[in-house]
Amino acid sequence: MSELTELYQEIILDHNRRPRHFGALAEPSHRARGYNPLCGDEVEIFLRIADGKVVDATFEGSGCAISTASASLMTEAVRGHSLSEVRGLFAGFHHLMTGKGEGAETELGKLEALAGVREFPMRVKCATLAWHTLQSALEAKVASTESTPTVSTENSPP
């Protein structure tokens, strides 16, 4: 195993054991729930968006190490970025996971730790669940918890 592969595995394991920004966000401006019916992974994304930027991002849920690490790394990556930058990160991450679409030019930093997931197609939806839920949250402004949209990997591309 190469040193880079070992480093990436350490990053994934660390974010799974000690997920960053885990927990509900008080008074989020945007939120959405995500569910992967193939494996049972669940995630809820909470965002506070102000002046066109993601000021805060947190998540709750339960799932495998890949799902949890992806949500943890994602919340770190999107904080402080404009909505267009966040959409660029989504495109870049989607390209990293599937090799399809645009986004190869996007600098992903620590998110590249999940690149190895691409070799295991059944796990790609675990890694992209939080990202599709983020997309849904960006489209939905929260009025109440009853109106929180739910996205399923069953209906989303990888």
Side-chain angles (χ1 to χ4, degrees):
M1 185 179 316
S2 75
E3 287 183 32
L4 189 58
T5 301
E6 286 182 32
L7 173 64
Y8 285 169
Q9 284 184 345
E10 285 180 32
I11 290 170
I12 291 169
L13 292 173
D14 182 47
H15 276 266
N16 176 53
R17 283 189 213 117
R18 299 180 307 115
R20 280 58 156 189
H21 316 295
F22 188 83
L25 183 64
E27 300 181 30
S29 60
H30 297 69
R31 70 194 291 177
R33 293 183 184 120
Y35 178 65
N36 183 349
L38 294 176
C39 63
D41 291 348
E42 296 179 328
V43 68
E44 186 164 0
I45 303 295
F46 304 89
L47 303 172
R48 184 170 301 122
I49 296 174
D51 300 324
K53 284 189 169 187
V54 176
V55 177
D56 206 352
T58 66
F59 76 101
E60 286 187 328
S62 61
C64 66
I66 299 296
S67 175
T68 301
S70 182
S72 177
L73 287 161
M74 181 192 76
T75 56
E76 279 194 336
V78 301
R79 288 171 158 222
H81 285 276
S82 71
L83 297 180
S84 65
E85 290 169 332
V86 169
R87 289 186 175 94
L89 283 170
F90 174 84
F93 188 75
H94 188 263
H95 181 81
L96 178 72
M97 290 292 105
T98 64
K100 298 175 185 170
E102 296 180 20
E105 68 283 347
T106 304
E107 189 68 37
L108 295 175
K110 285 184 178 180
L111 294 169
E112 292 183 16
L114 293 161
V117 172
R118 190 164 129 179
E119 296 176 29
F120 305 96
M122 293 297 292
R123 306 305 301 270
V124 169
K125 288 193 175 192
C126 298
T128 59
L129 174 63
W131 290 86
H132 286 292
T133 307
L134 171 71
Q135 286 285 90
S136 182
L138 290 174
E139 295 168 7
K141 195 165 189 166
V142 174
S144 70
T145 56
E146 290 78 31
S147 66
T148 303
T150 300
V151 63
S152 168
T153 56
E154 196 70 16
N155 302 324
S156 302

